Amino acid sequence: MCGIVGYIGPKEKKEILLDGLQELEYRGYDSAGIAIIEGKKLHNFKAIGKLKNLREKTKNYTSEGFGISIGHTRWATHGKPTELNAHPHLGAYSYVVHNGIIENYQELKEELQAEGVNFLSQTDTETIVHLFEKYHNRSNDAFPAFKETIERLEGAYGILLITEAAPDMIFFAKNGSPMLIGFDNEDVYFASSDTPLIGKAKEVYYLEDGEYGYVKDGQVHLFNKNEEIGFTKQTLTADKALAQKDGYRFFMEKEIYEQSRVMGETMMGRVLDDGIALDELDKDFFEDINAIKICACGTSYHSALTSAYLFERIAKIRCDIEIASEFRYKEPLLTGDTLFITISQSGETADTLEALKMAKRAGLKSLSICNVDNSSIVRESDAAILTRAGIEKGVASTKAFATQTMVLWMLALYVGQERNSISSDILRQEIDAMLHTPKALIVTDKLHAKLHRLSKRYLHGHGFFFIGRDIFFPLALEGALKLKEISYLHAEGYPAGEMKHGPIALADSELFTIALMPKTMHYDKIKSNVEELSARDATICAISPEPFDLADDFVQTQYSSHPMVEFFEMMVVTQLLALEISIRLGNDVDMPRNLAKSVTVE
Ligand code: F6R
């Protein structure tokens, strides 16, 4: 979703901003812009579409000497993706970039309009810059004017503001949208996530909600409420090489191939010979806990759904799953003996973060399962287990889903072990299956070639049904989500046993059924569900170790002794199928239309 970068110092600023925005590109955006002030000179460039359009517009410009600069990639919320709506937004002599949503912008806009201010865009952001200039015109003092501005804003924001009135300062504020400051000697950088700062800043400080301030003469002045406060920097350790494509056509493809390796990292030090060790959790973490509630969105929600089967079956603990955006407004009944788990790849998903805050207000203990350390969700939780998937750049989540599901499986075993609801024999069998998972995730040339070949038969039709039972139902949901995200074809996930309660009415030869038919779990049941579809002439693509006569297409997986191993192998098949269909349709696999990697607005 929207991305912010900023820099104050003597270096060439255009390239710093454009490079930074490039690193945020994978999050999804539909326009971009930069603004630079060097002494009395103001420069502002905006372009709709991809960053290459902005590069083209700025190709004859290079910044000179000391200056202040901000940049932004915008994912449209208020107003269409047009140049006028793109950030930075200009007042008479100041620019602002903003992530989040200013909830009271209509009221502020009307107030400013009544005072004669002319608005150029339809955005909520533009009110910030006009409000700032209103206060600055009165006091002629930039920082108090900025502070007064922030005090008027309601909602979520990460803000950078620069003004000709103070050409040696950058003003910043954070509330609900991520923002960090990067340091390299006297050079100071800003970004809405750490990737743009890798290779530039040596140390970083992650701003907390309610913090604001300014940078001048290489010094950051940080405030909370009315007090100037101190802060502690952290070393920025991420390795940029990990975020490159390594010869794969798309990040999503690379990330599918990486799953086998990263799964080893997810398990490292946690999956032991005779038990599960989660050093992240205090010994008594599950004391007084009698139920689990999990909140998440999208793919993360699907991993949560999978885990509900595991928590109840293995750990014998009640487990409810909720979509975060639904949970927030349903006035849920929460009891103190419930552990509240959030799952998020990015750790910044607005609905999940707000659900977590609600649960905390209700006094629940919280745990997050997340891929990004120091993200808002991790910082907000009582404890966090990191998935260790590495940076995921493809908008369609793959390795994040795999590692989330693995962590949840480990957690189910851990709970069983701590509550003595699992025998040591079963625990050992589960661990043995876990250790087979990396092998099940290997993408062989044969498998990839098979999915490439098959994909050409699935480029039309009036829809896909992915069907499965038990844990293969959430996998069916996830397979359908992957396909629709990057192919733009209609796909649904369904519990196989539900088809005859309605959806089977759609069955004909143009209805494609992707049937997940594991041998270790309810094979005969799902077989008869698929037979019912076949009898109505639906086109069947069966994924199973067991050859199936009625399949029009058949992808054979390995025989295995554990459903979770079959689960992970079938997951790879569905990911590759979506990838190959999308490539054949000529779509942008890594940045599908209308989607954002990190959904930081409600
Ligand atoms: C789908 C996808 C999304 C995310 C969802 C939640 O491929 O990536 O559905 O899973 O937006 O995001 P996180 O996990 O970052 O909270």
Side-chain angles (χ1 to χ4, degrees):
M1 211 152 244
C2 303
I4 286 183
V5 292
Y7 169 71
I8 173 167
K11 291 190 176 139
E12 204 293 297
K13 280 157 275 301
K14 178 188 81 175
E15 284 307 320
I16 290 178
L17 296 177
L18 291 177
D19 283 358
L21 293 178
Q22 194 95 44
E23 294 295 334
L24 296 171
E25 230 191 345
Y26 72 99
R27 297 163 64 97
Y29 68 106
D30 34 46
S31 58
I34 58 173
I36 298 171
I37 298 180
E38 303 152 295
K40 287 272 161 215
K41 283 188 262 159
L42 272 76
H43 304 273
N44 178 209
F45 304 90
K46 297 181 186 191
I48 49 172
K50 297 289 178 213
L51 269 181
K52 67 174 185 337
N53 302 342
L54 187 60
R55 280 200 185 276
E56 181 59 29
K57 280 203 166 173
T58 54
K59 69 174 184 227
N60 296 323
Y61 165 74
T62 325
S63 72
E64 282 165 19
F66 176 85
I68 51 183
S69 60
I70 54 180
H72 191 264
T73 44
R74 172 174 187 257
W75 189 81
T77 54
H78 293 81
K80 289 200 154 87
T82 61
E83 265 188 39
L84 274 182
N85 286 336
H87 302 209
H89 286 285
L90 173 67
Y93 50 86
S94 320
Y95 291 104
V96 72
V97 290
H98 157 232
N99 282 357
I101 290 180
I102 305 300
E103 283 164 6
N104 60 335
Y105 88 99
Q106 230 9 306
E107 172 197 323
L108 296 172
K109 189 170 177 175
E110 279 160 26
E111 172 187 315
L112 289 159
Q113 279 171 329
E115 293 164 10
V117 174
N118 190 19
F119 277 77
L120 296 175
S121 76
Q122 300 155 295
T123 65
D124 51 337
T125 303
E126 198 184 338
T127 50
I128 304 171
V129 72
H130 293 309
L131 209 53
F132 168 76
E133 292 190 348
K134 166 178 160 168
Y135 294 130
H136 184 265
N137 292 343
R138 262 191 219 157
S139 66
N140 208 18
D141 201 347
F143 183 55
F146 182 70
K147 179 168 176 285
E148 224 175 322
T149 305
I150 299 305
E151 283 165 359
R152 296 289 314 276
L153 305 180
E154 287 167 20
Y157 50 79
I159 294 171
L160 292 183
L161 184 142
I162 55 175
T163 175
E164 214 187 332
D168 53 352
M169 296 163 88
I170 289 193
F171 302 94
F172 60 87
K174 181 221 186 282
N175 192 42
S177 286
M179 173 92 86
L180 63 154
I181 312 178
F183 302 85
D184 180 25
N185 300 319
E186 300 282 275
D187 291 334
V188 180
Y189 299 84
F190 288 89
S192 50
S193 89
D194 51 14
T195 33
L197 303 187
I198 299 170
K200 295 195 174 73
K202 295 196 179 74
E203 291 179 306
V204 287
Y205 173 68
Y206 294 86
L207 289 166
E208 297 288 345
D209 284 349
E211 291 181 345
Y212 65 98
Y214 64 91
V215 184
K216 188 175 180 177
D217 299 331
Q219 298 299 315
V220 172
H221 298 269
L222 183 69
F223 293 78
N224 196 336
K225 306 222 167 73
N226 292 319
E227 300 282 306
E228 181 156 2
I229 54 170
F231 60 94
T232 312
K233 299 175 196 167
Q234 304 180 15
T235 312
L236 183 64
T237 50
D239 177 356
K240 204 167 191 170
L242 284 178
Q244 308 303 328
K245 272 190 220 157
D246 289 346
Y248 290 98
R249 295 167 293 175
F250 299 97
F251 280 112
M252 182 189 178
E253 184 177 35
K254 175 180 170 235
E255 287 157 7
I256 293 171
Y257 274 75
E258 273 174 356
Q259 293 177 115
S260 171
R261 178 181 60 77
V262 295
M263 204 56 114
E265 285 168 28
T266 305
M267 291 192 286
M268 199 183 299
R270 293 168 169 167
V271 181
L272 312 179
D273 288 347
D274 54 355
I276 303 292
L278 293 173
D279 294 343
E280 297 87 342
L281 306 182
D282 293 340
K283 195 69 199 127
D284 57 0
F285 194 78
F286 281 92
E287 229 172 72
D288 304 327
I289 295 293
N290 289 315
I292 291 175
K293 188 178 276 294
I294 311 185
C295 253
C297 303
T299 287
S300 300
Y301 168 71
H302 296 155
S303 73
L305 283 179
T306 310
S307 74
Y309 293 88
L310 307 179
F311 279 117
E312 299 211 343
R313 190 178 296 140
I314 301 175
K316 308 286 179 230
I317 186 164
R318 207 179 73 228
C319 180
D320 301 315
I321 314 297
E322 307 243 14
I323 290 183
S325 56
E326 287 299 310
F327 172 81
R328 286 179 63 182
Y329 300 103
K330 71 183 279 204
E331 298 180 26
L333 293 178
L334 300 171
T335 51
D337 63 348
T338 302
L339 173 66
F340 192 80
I341 302 183
T342 47
I343 307 177
S344 176
Q345 189 288 127
S346 62
E348 302 297 347
T349 302
D351 282 318
T352 311
L353 180 59
E354 284 309 313
L356 168 59
K357 288 181 182 166
M358 259 175 75
K360 282 185 72 181
R361 281 196 294 274
L364 267 59
K365 188 185 264 191
S366 60
L367 167 67
S368 60
I369 294 174
C370 190
N371 197 32
V372 182
D373 198 5
N374 282 312
S375 57
S376 303
I377 289 176
V378 166
R379 282 182 284 133
E380 196 68 35
S381 306
D382 294 327
I385 305 178
L386 295 178
T387 47
R388 304 180 184 160
I391 294 172
E392 187 179 66
K393 287 209 157 189
V395 164
S397 185
T398 51
K399 61 178 180 169
F401 174 72
T403 51
Q404 284 164 351
T405 310
M406 173 55 88
V407 167
L408 286 158
W409 183 14
M410 289 188 311
L411 191 63
L413 294 186
Y414 182 83
V415 176
Q417 170 188 295
E418 297 304 295
R419 291 161 57 98
N420 291 321
S421 51
I422 179 171
S423 72
S424 50
D425 274 357
I426 300 282
L427 185 58
R428 259 194 298 275
Q429 279 169 31
E430 294 285 318
I431 287 175
D432 186 55
M434 271 180 177
L435 297 174
H436 279 87
T437 306
K439 191 152 169 262
L441 290 166
I442 292 172
V443 182
T444 60
D445 289 350
K446 191 170 158 219
L447 177 69
H448 200 156
K450 168 105 190 176
L451 271 314
H452 171 69
R453 250 190 348 271
L454 269 189
S455 60
K456 65 176 175 290
R457 298 163 64 157
Y458 294 96
L459 307 178
H460 60 290
H462 60 72
F464 287 76
F465 269 90
F466 284 67
I467 58 169
R469 297 183 81 119
D470 205 280
I471 53 171
F472 295 86
F473 161 50
L475 183 59
L477 289 173
E478 175 59 10
L481 179 64
K482 280 301 79 95
L483 183 64
K484 70 183 136 201
E485 281 184 290
I486 58 174
S487 72
Y488 319 141
L489 297 169
H490 181 77
E492 282 186 63
Y494 238 80
E498 267 294 294
M499 292 301 284
K500 59 169 101 44
H501 298 288
I504 205 165
L506 293 170
D508 66 18
S509 61
E510 295 290 283
L511 179 80
F512 300 140
T513 301
I514 312 295
L516 306 178
M517 304 176 69
K519 198 66 181 80
T520 49
M521 194 157 244
H522 313 311
Y523 180 78
D524 292 333
K525 302 262 178 238
I526 181 141
K527 186 163 169 261
S528 57
N529 299 142
V530 180
E531 280 163 2
E532 287 154 12
L533 279 155
S534 172
R536 275 120 192 128
D537 216 18
T539 297
I540 311 286
C541 175
I543 305 173
S544 180
E546 188 84 350
F548 180 54
D549 284 351
L550 297 175
D552 298 275
D553 281 315
F554 178 58
V555 182
Q556 186 157 33
T557 49
Q558 302 291 315
Y559 284 96
S560 160
S561 56
H562 197 288
M564 285 303 285
V565 179
E566 293 206 85
F567 176 100
F568 283 116
E569 193 178 345
M570 290 187 185
M571 176 198 75
V572 173
V573 174
T574 58
Q575 293 168 341
L576 289 172
L577 180 67
L579 175 80
E580 288 301 324
I581 290 178
S582 172
I583 295 174
R584 281 196 191 268
L585 291 171
N587 298 343
D588 187 342
V589 170
D590 284 332
M591 278 181 273
R593 69 184 186 201
N594 306 336
L595 296 183
K597 181 71 184 160
S598 180
V599 184
T600 47
V601 293
E602 186 175 349

